[in-house]
PDB file of all heavy atoms in Angstrom:
ATOM      1  N   GLN A   1     124.925  69.676  97.845  1.00 85.00           N
ATOM      2  CA  GLN A   1     126.294  70.073  97.515  1.00 85.00           C
ATOM      3  C   GLN A   1     126.705  69.542  96.135  1.00 85.00           C
ATOM      4  O   GLN A   1     126.511  68.260  95.925  1.00 85.00           O
ATOM      5  CB  GLN A   1     127.276  69.474  98.556  1.00 85.00           C
ATOM      6  CG  GLN A   1     128.662  69.834  98.347  1.00 85.00           C
ATOM      7  CD  GLN A   1     129.009  71.256  98.726  1.00 85.00           C
ATOM      8  OE1 GLN A   1     128.573  71.757  99.790  1.00 85.00           O
ATOM      9  NE2 GLN A   1     129.777  71.918  97.918  1.00 85.00           N
ATOM     10  N   THR A   2     127.024  70.426  95.213  1.00 83.00           N
ATOM     11  CA  THR A   2     127.364  70.046  93.888  1.00 83.00           C
ATOM     12  C   THR A   2     128.893  70.196  93.534  1.00 83.00           C
ATOM     13  O   THR A   2     129.551  71.039  94.220  1.00 83.00           O
ATOM     14  CB  THR A   2     126.554  70.808  92.796  1.00 83.00           C
ATOM     15  OG1 THR A   2     126.787  72.157  92.958  1.00 83.00           O
ATOM     16  CG2 THR A   2     125.033  70.556  93.084  1.00 83.00           C
ATOM     17  N   HIS A   3     129.443  69.513  92.676  1.00 81.00           N
ATOM     18  CA  HIS A   3     130.736  69.560  92.261  1.00 81.00           C
ATOM     19  C   HIS A   3     131.707  69.610  93.402  1.00 81.00           C
ATOM     20  O   HIS A   3     132.697  70.255  93.514  1.00 81.00           O
ATOM     21  CB  HIS A   3     130.984  70.902  91.435  1.00 81.00           C
ATOM     22  CG  HIS A   3     130.255  70.990  90.206  1.00 81.00           C
ATOM     23  ND1 HIS A   3     129.006  71.306  90.114  1.00 81.00           N
ATOM     24  CD2 HIS A   3     130.630  70.610  88.850  1.00 81.00           C
ATOM     25  CE1 HIS A   3     128.461  71.292  88.817  1.00 81.00           C
ATOM     26  NE2 HIS A   3     129.466  70.938  88.095  1.00 81.00           N
ATOM     27  N   ALA A   4     131.348  68.673  94.424  1.00 82.00           N
ATOM     28  CA  ALA A   4     132.227  68.443  95.591  1.00 82.00           C
ATOM     29  C   ALA A   4     133.600  67.622  95.155  1.00 82.00           C
ATOM     30  O   ALA A   4     133.431  66.671  94.396  1.00 82.00           O
ATOM     31  CB  ALA A   4     131.539  67.771  96.612  1.00 82.00           C
ATOM     32  N   THR A   5     134.630  67.968  95.587  1.00 80.00           N
ATOM     33  CA  THR A   5     135.907  67.190  95.590  1.00 80.00           C
ATOM     34  C   THR A   5     136.296  66.654  96.859  1.00 80.00           C
ATOM     35  O   THR A   5     135.626  66.987  97.915  1.00 80.00           O
ATOM     36  CB  THR A   5     137.054  68.185  94.986  1.00 80.00           C
ATOM     37  OG1 THR A   5     137.358  69.171  95.882  1.00 80.00           O
ATOM     38  CG2 THR A   5     136.653  68.844  93.586  1.00 80.00           C
ATOM     39  N   ARG A   6     137.368  65.900  96.863  1.00 77.00           N
ATOM     40  CA  ARG A   6     137.798  65.401  98.160  1.00 77.00           C
ATOM     41  C   ARG A   6     138.313  66.439  99.146  1.00 77.00           C
ATOM     42  O   ARG A   6     138.396  66.173 100.327  1.00 77.00           O
ATOM     43  CB  ARG A   6     138.913  64.369  97.909  1.00 77.00           C
ATOM     44  CG  ARG A   6     138.389  63.118  97.129  1.00 77.00           C
ATOM     45  CD  ARG A   6     139.506  62.098  96.932  1.00 77.00           C
ATOM     46  NE  ARG A   6     139.095  60.969  96.096  1.00 77.00           N
ATOM     47  CZ  ARG A   6     138.484  59.914  96.577  1.00 77.00           C
ATOM     48  NH1 ARG A   6     138.266  59.738  97.805  1.00 77.00           N
ATOM     49  NH2 ARG A   6     138.076  58.932  95.772  1.00 77.00           N
ATOM     50  N   THR A   7     138.546  67.645  98.631  1.00 76.00           N
ATOM     51  CA  THR A   7     139.157  68.694  99.471  1.00 76.00           C
ATOM     52  C   THR A   7     138.036  69.680  99.812  1.00 76.00           C
ATOM     53  O   THR A   7     138.257  70.683 100.533  1.00 76.00           O
ATOM     54  CB  THR A   7     140.244  69.383  98.849  1.00 76.00           C
ATOM     55  OG1 THR A   7     139.867  69.950  97.528  1.00 76.00           O
ATOM     56  CG2 THR A   7     141.473  68.517  98.624  1.00 76.00           C
ATOM     57  N   THR A   8     136.827  69.424  99.492  1.00 79.00           N
ATOM     58  CA  THR A   8     135.671  70.406  99.675  1.00 79.00           C
ATOM     59  C   THR A   8     135.364  70.373 101.179  1.00 79.00           C
ATOM     60  O   THR A   8     135.426  69.269 101.802  1.00 79.00           O
ATOM     61  CB  THR A   8     134.419  70.021  98.884  1.00 79.00           C
ATOM     62  OG1 THR A   8     134.715  70.068  97.477  1.00 79.00           O
ATOM     63  CG2 THR A   8     133.337  70.909  99.283  1.00 79.00           C
ATOM     64  N   PHE A   9     135.155  71.601 101.846  1.00 80.00           N
ATOM     65  CA  PHE A   9     134.713  71.716 103.231  1.00 80.00           C
ATOM     66  C   PHE A   9     133.220  71.892 103.150  1.00 80.00           C
ATOM     67  O   PHE A   9     132.682  72.755 102.616  1.00 80.00           O
ATOM     68  CB  PHE A   9     135.415  72.879 103.889  1.00 80.00           C
ATOM     69  CG  PHE A   9     134.874  73.086 105.232  1.00 80.00           C
ATOM     70  CD1 PHE A   9     135.228  72.314 106.327  1.00 80.00           C
ATOM     71  CD2 PHE A   9     134.092  74.175 105.480  1.00 80.00           C
ATOM     72  CE1 PHE A   9     134.740  72.420 107.584  1.00 80.00           C
ATOM     73  CE2 PHE A   9     133.558  74.447 106.784  1.00 80.00           C
ATOM     74  CZ  PHE A   9     133.920  73.503 107.838  1.00 80.00           C
ATOM     75  N   ILE A  10     132.551  71.063 103.916  1.00 80.00           N
ATOM     76  CA  ILE A  10     131.024  71.061 104.109  1.00 80.00           C
ATOM     77  C   ILE A  10     130.814  71.490 105.486  1.00 80.00           C
ATOM     78  O   ILE A  10     131.125  70.729 106.447  1.00 80.00           O
ATOM     79  CB  ILE A  10     130.382  69.801 103.635  1.00 80.00           C
ATOM     80  CG1 ILE A  10     130.641  69.444 102.252  1.00 80.00           C
ATOM     81  CG2 ILE A  10     128.813  69.847 103.956  1.00 80.00           C
ATOM     82  CD1 ILE A  10     130.014  68.083 101.779  1.00 80.00           C
ATOM     83  N   ASP A  11     130.213  72.637 105.747  1.00 79.00           N
ATOM     84  CA  ASP A  11     130.011  73.137 107.175  1.00 79.00           C
ATOM     85  C   ASP A  11     129.169  72.091 107.939  1.00 79.00           C
ATOM     86  O   ASP A  11     128.153  71.538 107.436  1.00 79.00           O
ATOM     87  CB  ASP A  11     129.293  74.433 106.965  1.00 79.00           C
ATOM     88  CG  ASP A  11     129.193  75.222 108.342  1.00 79.00           C
ATOM     89  OD1 ASP A  11     130.066  74.918 109.141  1.00 79.00           O
ATOM     90  OD2 ASP A  11     128.201  75.945 108.549  1.00 79.00           O
ATOM     91  N   GLY A  12     129.583  71.902 109.168  1.00 75.00           N
ATOM     92  CA  GLY A  12     128.862  71.015 110.018  1.00 75.00           C
ATOM     93  C   GLY A  12     129.208  69.612 109.901  1.00 75.00           C
ATOM     94  O   GLY A  12     128.554  68.778 110.572  1.00 75.00           O
ATOM     95  N   THR A  13     130.212  69.308 109.094  1.00 79.00           N
ATOM     96  CA  THR A  13     130.571  67.862 109.044  1.00 79.00           C
ATOM     97  C   THR A  13     132.011  67.679 109.321  1.00 79.00           C
ATOM     98  O   THR A  13     132.886  68.607 109.245  1.00 79.00           O
ATOM     99  CB  THR A  13     130.327  67.278 107.526  1.00 79.00           C
ATOM    100  OG1 THR A  13     131.244  67.947 106.633  1.00 79.00           O
ATOM    101  CG2 THR A  13     128.886  67.612 107.118  1.00 79.00           C
ATOM    102  N   ALA A  14     132.439  66.478 109.650  1.00 77.00           N
ATOM    103  CA  ALA A  14     133.762  66.107 109.920  1.00 77.00           C
ATOM    104  C   ALA A  14     134.503  65.694 108.653  1.00 77.00           C
ATOM    105  O   ALA A  14     133.800  65.346 107.687  1.00 77.00           O
ATOM    106  CB  ALA A  14     133.811  64.966 110.954  1.00 77.00           C
ATOM    107  N   PRO A  15     135.817  65.827 108.598  1.00 73.00           N
ATOM    108  CA  PRO A  15     136.439  65.439 107.356  1.00 73.00           C
ATOM    109  C   PRO A  15     136.278  63.958 106.891  1.00 73.00           C
ATOM    110  O   PRO A  15     136.225  63.649 105.798  1.00 73.00           O
ATOM    111  CB  PRO A  15     137.917  65.593 107.692  1.00 73.00           C
ATOM    112  CG  PRO A  15     137.936  66.648 108.789  1.00 73.00           C
ATOM    113  CD  PRO A  15     136.657  66.378 109.497  1.00 73.00           C
ATOM    114  N   GLU A  16     136.004  63.133 107.864  1.00 82.00           N
ATOM    115  CA  GLU A  16     135.748  61.770 107.534  1.00 82.00           C
ATOM    116  C   GLU A  16     134.393  61.521 106.777  1.00 82.00           C
ATOM    117  O   GLU A  16     134.327  60.509 106.054  1.00 82.00           O
ATOM    118  CB  GLU A  16     135.778  60.827 108.760  1.00 82.00           C
ATOM    119  CG  GLU A  16     137.124  60.746 109.531  1.00 82.00           C
ATOM    120  CD  GLU A  16     137.368  62.027 110.419  1.00 82.00           C
ATOM    121  OE1 GLU A  16     136.514  62.932 110.511  1.00 82.00           O
ATOM    122  OE2 GLU A  16     138.417  62.143 110.901  1.00 82.00           O
ATOM    123  N   PHE A  17     133.514  62.456 106.989  1.00 84.00           N
ATOM    124  CA  PHE A  17     132.258  62.315 106.274  1.00 84.00           C
ATOM    125  C   PHE A  17     132.317  62.329 104.830  1.00 84.00           C
ATOM    126  O   PHE A  17     131.802  61.498 104.112  1.00 84.00           O
ATOM    127  CB  PHE A  17     131.324  63.453 106.697  1.00 84.00           C
ATOM    128  CG  PHE A  17     130.099  63.638 105.852  1.00 84.00           C
ATOM    129  CD1 PHE A  17     129.011  62.650 105.975  1.00 84.00           C
ATOM    130  CD2 PHE A  17     129.937  64.676 104.924  1.00 84.00           C
ATOM    131  CE1 PHE A  17     127.942  62.766 105.151  1.00 84.00           C
ATOM    132  CE2 PHE A  17     128.736  64.815 104.181  1.00 84.00           C
ATOM    133  CZ  PHE A  17     127.773  63.817 104.302  1.00 84.00           C
ATOM    134  N   LEU A  18     133.193  63.206 104.237  1.00 84.00           N
ATOM    135  CA  LEU A  18     133.312  63.420 102.897  1.00 84.00           C
ATOM    136  C   LEU A  18     134.171  62.040 102.278  1.00 84.00           C
ATOM    137  O   LEU A  18     133.836  61.684 101.208  1.00 84.00           O
ATOM    138  CB  LEU A  18     134.074  64.655 102.441  1.00 84.00           C
ATOM    139  CG  LEU A  18     133.931  65.170 101.062  1.00 84.00           C
ATOM    140  CD1 LEU A  18     132.484  65.444 100.836  1.00 84.00           C
ATOM    141  CD2 LEU A  18     134.687  66.537 100.904  1.00 84.00           C
ATOM    142  N   ALA A  19     135.087  61.605 103.096  1.00 85.00           N
ATOM    143  CA  ALA A  19     135.742  60.318 102.686  1.00 85.00           C
ATOM    144  C   ALA A  19     134.742  59.302 102.567  1.00 85.00           C
ATOM    145  O   ALA A  19     134.841  58.432 101.703  1.00 85.00           O
ATOM    146  CB  ALA A  19     136.835  60.071 103.646  1.00 85.00           C
ATOM    147  N   THR A  20     133.818  59.163 103.489  1.00 86.00           N
ATOM    148  CA  THR A  20     132.737  58.183 103.422  1.00 86.00           C
ATOM    149  C   THR A  20     131.863  58.296 102.143  1.00 86.00           C
ATOM    150  O   THR A  20     131.563  57.313 101.452  1.00 86.00           O
ATOM    151  CB  THR A  20     131.860  58.141 104.692  1.00 86.00           C
ATOM    152  OG1 THR A  20     132.665  58.044 105.842  1.00 86.00           O
ATOM    153  CG2 THR A  20     130.819  57.056 104.579  1.00 86.00           C
ATOM    154  N   VAL A  21     131.532  59.548 101.868  1.00 87.00           N
ATOM    155  CA  VAL A  21     130.787  59.853 100.624  1.00 87.00           C
ATOM    156  C   VAL A  21     131.467  59.402  99.493  1.00 87.00           C
ATOM    157  O   VAL A  21     130.837  58.787  98.542  1.00 87.00           O
ATOM    158  CB  VAL A  21     130.376  61.320 100.651  1.00 87.00           C
ATOM    159  CG1 VAL A  21     129.698  61.629  99.260  1.00 87.00           C
ATOM    160  CG2 VAL A  21     129.513  61.757 101.722  1.00 87.00           C
ATOM    161  N   PHE A  22     132.762  59.748  99.281  1.00 88.00           N
ATOM    162  CA  PHE A  22     133.482  59.250  98.052  1.00 88.00           C
ATOM    163  C   PHE A  22     133.697  57.798  97.947  1.00 88.00           C
ATOM    164  O   PHE A  22     134.173  57.282  96.984  1.00 88.00           O
ATOM    165  CB  PHE A  22     134.789  59.986  98.020  1.00 88.00           C
ATOM    166  CG  PHE A  22     134.832  61.379  97.400  1.00 88.00           C
ATOM    167  CD1 PHE A  22     134.404  62.550  98.134  1.00 88.00           C
ATOM    168  CD2 PHE A  22     135.018  61.545  96.026  1.00 88.00           C
ATOM    169  CE1 PHE A  22     134.343  63.767  97.451  1.00 88.00           C
ATOM    170  CE2 PHE A  22     135.004  62.729  95.481  1.00 88.00           C
ATOM    171  CZ  PHE A  22     134.720  63.821  96.063  1.00 88.00           C
ATOM    172  N   GLY A  23     133.449  57.138  99.017  1.00 87.00           N
ATOM    173  CA  GLY A  23     133.498  55.594  98.894  1.00 87.00           C
ATOM    174  C   GLY A  23     132.256  54.975  98.513  1.00 87.00           C
ATOM    175  O   GLY A  23     132.152  53.729  98.239  1.00 87.00           O
ATOM    176  N   ALA A  24     131.169  55.826  98.268  1.00 88.00           N
ATOM    177  CA  ALA A  24     129.862  55.235  97.882  1.00 88.00           C
ATOM    178  C   ALA A  24     129.714  55.301  96.372  1.00 88.00           C
ATOM    179  O   ALA A  24     130.596  55.930  95.595  1.00 88.00           O
ATOM    180  CB  ALA A  24     128.756  56.109  98.392  1.00 88.00           C
ATOM    181  N   GLN A  25     128.746  54.458  95.928  1.00 88.00           N
ATOM    182  CA  GLN A  25     128.548  54.402  94.440  1.00 88.00           C
ATOM    183  C   GLN A  25     127.397  55.383  93.969  1.00 88.00           C
ATOM    184  O   GLN A  25     126.712  55.864  94.876  1.00 88.00           O
ATOM    185  CB  GLN A  25     128.049  52.943  94.096  1.00 88.00           C
ATOM    186  CG  GLN A  25     129.136  51.913  94.454  1.00 88.00           C
ATOM    187  CD  GLN A  25     130.381  52.052  93.729  1.00 88.00           C
ATOM    188  OE1 GLN A  25     130.476  52.325  92.512  1.00 88.00           O
ATOM    189  NE2 GLN A  25     131.541  51.724  94.361  1.00 88.00           N
ATOM    190  N   LYS A  26     127.277  55.544  92.671  1.00 88.00           N
ATOM    191  CA  LYS A  26     126.266  56.553  92.228  1.00 88.00           C
ATOM    192  C   LYS A  26     124.925  55.909  92.529  1.00 88.00           C
ATOM    193  O   LYS A  26     124.611  54.732  92.374  1.00 88.00           O
ATOM    194  CB  LYS A  26     126.525  56.608  90.733  1.00 88.00           C
ATOM    195  CG  LYS A  26     125.413  57.435  89.951  1.00 88.00           C
ATOM    196  CD  LYS A  26     125.548  57.622  88.525  1.00 88.00           C
ATOM    197  CE  LYS A  26     124.539  58.432  87.875  1.00 88.00           C
ATOM    198  NZ  LYS A  26     124.820  58.603  86.397  1.00 88.00           N
ATOM    199  N   GLY A  27     124.068  56.840  93.083  1.00 83.00           N
ATOM    200  CA  GLY A  27     122.698  56.378  93.415  1.00 83.00           C
ATOM    201  C   GLY A  27     122.623  55.756  94.829  1.00 83.00           C
ATOM    202  O   GLY A  27     121.545  55.345  95.293  1.00 83.00           O
ATOM    203  N   GLN A  28     123.700  55.535  95.553  1.00 86.00           N
ATOM    204  CA  GLN A  28     123.694  54.917  96.870  1.00 86.00           C
ATOM    205  C   GLN A  28     123.362  55.946  98.042  1.00 86.00           C
ATOM    206  O   GLN A  28     123.782  57.122  97.827  1.00 86.00           O
ATOM    207  CB  GLN A  28     125.091  54.282  97.106  1.00 86.00           C
ATOM    208  CG  GLN A  28     125.130  53.572  98.386  1.00 86.00           C
ATOM    209  CD  GLN A  28     126.501  52.885  98.528  1.00 86.00           C
ATOM    210  OE1 GLN A  28     127.372  52.958  97.759  1.00 86.00           O
ATOM    211  NE2 GLN A  28     126.650  52.254  99.762  1.00 86.00           N
TER     212      GLN A  28
END
């Protein structure tokens, strides 16, 4: 998934998944 924003919908995932991703650091 490229150029994802906090409002991006990723099929097969819950909304909390993207929030977890945005809490990570680069390379993590």
